[in-house]
Amino acid sequence: MKPAVGLILGGRYRLRGRLAVGGMGEVWVGHDDSLARDVAVKVRRGAFAGDPGFLDRFRTEARNSALLSHPNIAQLYDYGEQEGSGFLVMELIHGEPLSDLLLREPILPPDRLLPILAQTARGLHAAHVAGVVHRDIKPGNLLLSHEGRVKITDFGVSLATNQVPMTAAGMVMGTAQYLSPEQAIGRPAMPASDIYSLGIIAYEAIQGHRPFTGAPSVDIAIAHVKEAVPPSTE
């Protein structure tokens, strides 16, 4: 199944336009014909069509997201499969990812940064209480609504309590620049791993750059393990 404008999923979700492209999926603006409201629809990228492993990941993301209900976590509305592909239907957030804001304003003043960090921490706490570790907290996965609310998105590599891992032992999951030391060496992620990643985001927004950058991803991941975070100059 190739997503396109006008495609109807599940007999009710009509795709209107593409919002973003990620590692495994594309996010589209859709319209729920049954409830007459706009939604966000995440579908698998065409390159992974027919890959059962990626379909399993979509199912896992849906199950883990369904465990969560919090003002600072993007709400999952529905999940379905069509023509061998999966799709997730979520609330549509009008705003932008934190990554876009940091491109325009690499350094954020405390009165703007602290509410973002606090809201993200509250959302992560709710996920951790529910037994879900995100494993890929980064600016691109934090959406900022026009009203100033943070929404944590993309639980595509998340891990829930008692869930059978979908990756081989020792495999690294996450984004190197924000990776916790235990994740960098292939150990299981834990709630503290998400908090470490949030701390890296705080460092970046204060300093205007990430603590470890400019090198290949493997070297950056190793730096999180072997090197101290450079002291703040602020």
Side-chain angles (χ1 to χ4, degrees), residues 55-109:
L55 182 56
D56 286 341
R57 287 192 181 281
F58 256 61
R59 291 168 178 160
T60 297
E61 180 177 357
R63 294 189 188 104
N64 290 352
S65 297
L67 296 172
L68 310 176
S69 178
H70 190 272
N72 296 120
I73 297 176
Q75 184 178 353
L76 176 72
Y77 292 149
D78 197 4
Y79 171 76
E81 296 178 10
Q82 186 167 313
E83 297 179 17
S85 292
F87 62 91
L88 296 96
V89 182
M90 303 164 288
E91 67 172 309
L92 179 63
I93 295 109
H94 296 284
E96 66 176 350
L98 177 59
S99 54
D100 284 0
L101 174 60
L102 291 177
L103 281 176
R104 293 197 312 274
E105 303 178 51
I107 297 177
L108 298 180

Side-chain angles (χ1 to χ4, degrees), residues 108-122 150 202 206:
L108 298 180
D111 62 336
R112 295 182 64 192
L113 176 60
L114 290 177
I116 294 173
L117 298 177
Q119 291 184 62
T120 305
R122 286 193 285 269
V150 174
I206 292 170

Side-chain angles (χ1 to χ4, degrees), residues 131-153:
V132 176
V133 179
H134 188 284
R135 297 206 297 179
D136 196 19
I137 292 297
K138 58 184 178 182
N141 286 338
L142 303 182
L143 295 184
L144 311 177
S145 74
H146 293 319
E147 296 75 30
R149 175 165 286 177
V150 174
K151 294 283 188 175
I152 302 172
T153 66

